[in-house]
Amino acid sequence: ASVRFAIVGYRDFDDDDHPTILDFTVDTAQCERFLAATEARGGGDVCEDVLTGLDGAMRLSWSSNIRIITLISQTPNHGTRFHDAPAEVVVVGERPEEYYDMHRDTDRQWDFTNELFVRMRAQNIRLVCLELSSETRKMFGAFKNLYDEEANGFQMLLEPLGLNPAAFFSTAVRSVWKSITSSLTATASALKQAPKFRTPLLLDIDKRPI
């Protein structure tokens, strides 16, 4: 058995190289080189195009029985479905005239999002979300409501990470292990009921520093 990794980096609408994709590989050095060459740039408001990142991850060359997407996000996707920020101009750091969400009424927050999570379950992909800040809380809550289907063994895992780089590795490993355990439990249950049954890493790479 081998563990394959893939990386999908997302930015925002109309940004170049969005999403940036490294398909599955067992070469961890290749993953390191890909990350080292990835620049945080683009954007024009606070929110990002998280959904395109998830969609890109689901289009990778999945092949194994255990499939996990780990979503790392500092800010929410566009749309009032995912945040409660006002429409007015806000002050962020040294940028005094930045909109929080310039696409707050985007249609993609509705049918496209609903269909995306149906496809995720159909592809038997487990979802783990690492929370860097409270800004993503409403988005992750919406994702969980759309993804969870406990009767069939699907339950999104949400792990608080914060802005502590030292905690990243242990939190990521713990959450992925939980997801693997959940997937194996669901598979074992299905095998008992049907003897003939056959059976990402997403990074927010906008210009805002973490």
Side-chain angles (χ1 to χ4, degrees):
S2 62
V3 178
R4 300 192 306 153
F5 301 93
I7 301 171
V8 178
Y10 60 89
R11 293 186 172 93
D12 205 351
F13 297 145
D14 301 322
D15 283 343
D16 294 334
D17 300 325
H18 168 61
T20 59
I21 296 176
L22 173 67
D23 207 344
F24 283 107
T25 177
V26 296
D27 187 349
T28 56
Q30 184 181 7
C31 294
E32 292 178 2
R33 290 193 298 271
F34 181 85
L35 288 173
T38 300
E39 297 180 359
R41 53 181 170 76
D45 55 6
V46 175
C47 292
E48 305 296 349
D49 186 15
V50 181
L51 297 176
T52 291
L54 284 172
D55 182 63
M58 291 168 57
R59 297 177 186 277
L60 297 169
S61 58
W62 298 91
S63 62
S64 63
N65 292 334
I66 297 178
R67 306 175 177 189
I68 302 171
I69 289 177
T70 299
L71 171 60
I72 306 169
S73 182
Q74 184 182 4
T75 57
N77 193 85
H78 292 285
T80 53
R81 185 179 192 179
F82 305 120
H83 66 80
D84 295 316
E88 297 83 11
V89 174
V90 295
V91 175
V92 179
E94 297 180 354
R95 293 174 291 172
E97 296 183 353
E98 178 175 2
Y99 282 95
Y100 193 88
D101 187 357
M102 297 173 64
H103 307 278
R104 58 192 297 108
D105 297 319
T106 175
D107 290 338
R108 285 166 60 88
Q109 65 185 305
W110 302 113
D111 290 347
F112 178 84
T113 303
N114 298 344
E115 189 267 342
L116 186 148
F117 283 94
V118 171
R119 286 193 289 125
M120 191 177 295
R121 289 196 304 270
Q123 290 181 236
N124 196 33
I125 297 174
R126 308 291 158 165
L127 179 61
V128 176
C129 296
L130 302 184
E131 185 181 71
L132 296 179
S133 75
S134 60
E135 292 184 60
T136 57
R137 196 153 295 163
K138 184 175 181 179
M139 179 183 72
F140 285 150
F143 286 1
K144 186 171 179 61
N145 288 336
L146 290 167
Y147 177 83
D148 282 12
E149 199 175 79
E150 294 188 31
N152 293 318
F154 291 99
Q155 187 172 5
M156 188 190 96
L157 296 180
L158 178 61
E159 292 282 350
L161 180 59
L163 301 180
N164 179 10
F168 173 78
F169 182 77
S170 60
T171 301
V173 170
R174 181 175 65 250
S175 59
V176 169
W177 178 248
K178 287 181 181 178
S179 189
I180 291 174
T181 302
S182 174
S183 180
L184 289 173
T185 300
T187 300
S189 177
L191 287 171
K192 288 180 180 179
Q193 297 177 21
K196 296 183 180 180
F197 177 82
R198 292 182 287 273
T199 344
L201 184 61
L202 279 187
L203 299 176
D204 182 345
I205 52 174
D206 183 30
K207 61 183 180 298
R208 299 207 310 160
I210 295 178

